[in-house]
């Protein structure tokens, strides 16, 4: 067992050093992007925001979509039904919006996730004058320059899409909310300058002409994931997805343990169905971390009980934890630079993004096991079964 531990910890340390090098590269990219002038590209933009139910800060989140410094855009808020609890808030925000805002009732979903159905319904009735399609989530609160910076790179028609990622800030001091924020943090550094990026549904922009050329609507009509489905279409067409870190989007969250497991299990299941390669690599990385630490504790305690030298074993066990903490600190540094107005609040939560993050691989491992056992998930009160990327079954409304 001791030899196995030496072997695994050696691999884990090499992996940890490589991931730190990647994090440093990522930080450099963030800093270069923050110094980049977005230019004067000002296309006609249709901004889509599907809504369902009440969530923390919903009205303020939606109002932020009406305050962008980009002048040439209209907003399309989409709900499945007028009976949705969010309907009155959406109507109020739309009526007070400075840019023109529409409220679309999409009707019940069939054969795909409700969010995807809502987007399809809105785009199918979109007037022809819009050049760029931008997608936002109702739980995000982007800054005033978000829309301009997200759409600006599309001035280069060779690009496929631009995207960004959420950064969660707890609205509550309870443990499940803190775990959710820590769980989400590593996703930010999965998007890079030159890697194979994926679209995030809460912040993606694409030229309308390309969206129609690639027939994204057809891909969506039986899908549970708007962003992964779009990613698959862009990959098949050989189009790049540009990560725009200056558009990182804050999301203020509050949850309990049931909500934590529902969200995290759903994200990993969707990844397994739509991107098995990412799922497999992430599963192997988190499994290696957890197994190495567990084995290190067992071997170290075994030496202690036998009154044998154990300091070297404890040190080797601690090294992967230290490397993970360094990655977390580098990540948080980049996020605070991208979101300078929130630097103090994010820094005050460093114990979540750096220290609590050290135990998150164990939660990821639970999520991966769940995705192996079942293809069912619950999303905003609706239960789905993900048969395949092109086949989604609605089980319960």
């Amino acid at each position: 067992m001791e030899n196995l531990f030496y072997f695994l910890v050696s691999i884990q340390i090499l992996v940890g050093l490589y991931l730190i090098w990647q994090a440093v590269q990522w930080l450099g990219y963030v800093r270069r992007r923050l110094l980049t002038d977005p230019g004067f590209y000002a296309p006609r933009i249709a901004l889509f925001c599907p809504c369902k139910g009440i969530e923390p800060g919903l009205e303020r989140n939606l109002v932020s979509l009406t305050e962008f410094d980009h002048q040439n855009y209209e907003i399309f808020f989409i709900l499945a039904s007028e009976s949705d609890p969010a309907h009155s808030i959406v109507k109020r925000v739309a009526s007070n919006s400075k840019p023109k805002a529409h409220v679309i009732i999409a009707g019940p979903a069939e054969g795909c996730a409700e969010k995807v159905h809502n987007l399809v319904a809105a785009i199918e009735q979109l007037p022809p004058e819009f050049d760029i399609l931008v997608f936002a989530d109702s739980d995000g609160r982007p800054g005033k320059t978000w829309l301009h910076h997200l759409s600006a790179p599309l001035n280069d028609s060779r690009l496929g899409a631009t995207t960004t990622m959420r950064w969660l800030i707890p609205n509550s001091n309870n443990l499940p909310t803190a775990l959710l924020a820590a769980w989400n943090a590593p996703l930010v550094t999965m998007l890079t300058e030159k890697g194979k990026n994926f679209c995030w549904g809460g912040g993606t922009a694409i030229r309308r002409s390309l969206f129609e050329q690639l027939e994204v609507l057809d891909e969506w009509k039986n899908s549970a994931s708007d962003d992964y489905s779009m990613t698959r279409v862009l990959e098949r067409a050989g189009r790049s997805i540009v990560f725009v870190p200056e558009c990182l989007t804050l999301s203020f969250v509050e949850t309990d343990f049931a909500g934590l497991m529902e969200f995290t299990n759903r994200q990993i299941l969707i990844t397994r169905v739509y991107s098995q390669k990412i799922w497999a690599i992430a599963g192997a990385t988190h499994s290696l971390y957890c197994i190495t630490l567990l084995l290190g504790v067992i071997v170290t305690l075994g030496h202690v009980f036998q009154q044998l030298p154990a300091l070297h074993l404890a040190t080797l066990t601690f090294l992967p934890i230290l490397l993970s903490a360094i990655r977390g600190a580098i990540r948080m540094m980049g996020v605070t630079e991208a979101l300078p107005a929130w630097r103090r609040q994010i820094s005050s939560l460093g114990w979540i993004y750096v220290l609590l993050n050290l135990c998150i691989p164990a939660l990821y491992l639970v999520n991966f096991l769940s995705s192996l056992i079942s293809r069912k998930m619950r999303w905003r009160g609706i239960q789905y079964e993900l048969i395949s990327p092109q086949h989604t079954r609605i089980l319960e409304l």
Side-chain angles (χ1 to χ4, degrees), residues 21-214:
W21 177 79
Q22 278 196 326
V24 171
Q25 297 289 106
W26 177 86
L27 179 59
Y29 175 60
V30 171
R31 288 173 171 171
R32 289 193 300 277
R33 285 292 316 181
L34 293 175
L35 296 173
T36 301
D37 184 346
F40 299 100
Y41 184 51
R44 182 76 168 152
I45 294 176
L47 173 61
F48 300 94
C49 180
C51 303
K52 183 178 177 63
I54 304 296
E55 53 203 342
L58 174 63
E59 185 161 1
R60 185 67 195 91
N61 295 344
L62 299 185
V63 168
S64 71
L65 302 181
T66 72
E67 298 175 335
F68 295 128
D69 59 10
H70 188 94
Q71 300 299 316
N72 200 15
Y73 77 104
E74 293 183 20
I75 309 168
F76 297 82
F77 296 113
I78 319 124
L79 303 102
S81 167
E82 290 184 351
S83 63
D84 191 291
H87 183 251
S88 60
I89 294 176
V90 171
K91 288 281 287 184
R92 181 165 62 249
V93 172
S95 64
N96 294 324
S97 172
K98 184 177 179 181
K100 189 174 183 179
H102 312 262
V103 179
I104 297 173
I105 305 300
E110 294 183 11
C112 64
E114 186 174 279
K115 178 186 179 183
V116 178
H117 170 78
N118 289 355
L119 290 172
V120 170
I123 293 173
E124 284 182 335
Q125 54 186 285
L126 186 68
E129 64 265 20
F130 294 96
D131 305 306
I132 302 291
L133 310 181
V134 176
F135 304 95
D137 281 346
S138 61
D139 59 356
R141 194 174 302 176
K144 292 183 184 298
T145 63
W146 185 88
L147 190 62
H148 181 51
H149 281 265
L150 191 65
S151 58
L154 295 178
N155 188 36
D156 183 350
S157 61
R158 296 170 298 178
L159 300 181
T162 61
T163 196
T164 187
M165 182 48 67
R166 61 180 168 253
W167 184 263
L168 302 185
I169 292 185
N171 255 348
S172 169
N173 292 324
N174 66 23
L175 181 59
T177 302
L179 286 170
L180 181 57
W183 184 95
N184 177 80
L187 299 180
V188 174
T189 40
M190 288 182 66
L191 296 167
T192 61
E193 179 178 9
K194 298 178 181 178
K196 287 191 174 181
N197 293 325
F198 52 88
C199 296
W200 170 57
T204 287
I206 185 172
R207 281 178 172 263
R208 184 180 188 174
S209 57
L210 181 61
F211 184 92
E212 293 175 347
Q213 175 189 332
L214 299 182

Side-chain angles (χ1 to χ4, degrees), residues 20 23 167 185 322-335 350 353-355 357-358:
I20 286 177
W167 184 263
L322 177 62
L323 296 176
S324 181
I326 293 172
R327 291 199 307 275
I330 295 171
R331 181 187 303 123
M332 197 175 76
M333 188 184 307
V335 172
Y353 305 122
V354 178
L355 299 180
N357 188 63
L358 301 177

Side-chain angles (χ1 to χ4, degrees), residues 196-361:
K196 287 191 174 181
N197 293 325
F198 52 88
C199 296
W200 170 57
T204 287
I206 185 172
R207 281 178 172 263
R208 184 180 188 174
S209 57
L210 181 61
F211 184 92
E212 293 175 347
Q213 175 189 332
L214 299 182
E215 300 179 335
V216 177
L217 283 184
D218 290 340
E219 188 80 12
W220 273 358
K221 287 184 177 178
N222 296 295
S223 172
S225 174
D226 55 311
D227 40 21
Y228 266 126
S229 292
M230 188 185 295
T231 301
R232 287 165 60 89
V233 170
L234 289 166
E235 286 179 345
R236 288 201 297 266
R239 295 294 191 118
S240 60
I241 300 169
V242 177
F243 172 45
V244 189
E246 61 268 39
C247 293
L248 286 176
T249 304
L250 290 179
S251 181
F252 297 85
V253 293
E254 184 173 349
T255 191
D256 54 19
F257 276 108
L260 169 69
M261 298 313 300
E262 178 182 308
F263 179 88
T264 56
N265 284 339
R266 180 176 70 245
Q267 299 301 318
I268 298 303
L269 175 59
I270 290 174
T271 303
R272 183 195 173 197
V273 172
Y274 287 86
S275 185
Q276 290 192 355
K277 183 177 179 180
I278 292 178
W279 178 85
I281 293 173
T285 302
H286 291 299
S287 297
L288 175 64
Y289 180 90
C290 294
I291 292 170
T292 301
L293 291 190
L294 179 61
L295 196 58
V297 170
I298 292 173
V299 172
T300 301
L301 290 178
H303 274 237
V304 170
F305 292 145
Q306 297 175 48
Q307 297 184 338
L308 296 173
L311 181 60
H312 65 295
L313 295 171
T315 302
L316 287 174
T317 302
F318 177 74
L319 266 179
I321 298 175
L322 177 62
L323 296 176
S324 181
I326 293 172
R327 291 199 307 275
I330 295 171
R331 181 187 303 123
M332 197 175 76
M333 188 184 307
V335 172
T336 56
E337 292 183 19
L339 299 167
W342 295 91
R343 182 189 303 271
R344 179 173 295 182
Q345 184 168 355
I346 293 172
S347 297
S348 71
L349 298 170
W351 68 274
I352 292 176
Y353 305 122
V354 178
L355 299 180
L356 189 59
N357 188 63
L358 301 177
C359 64
I360 288 302

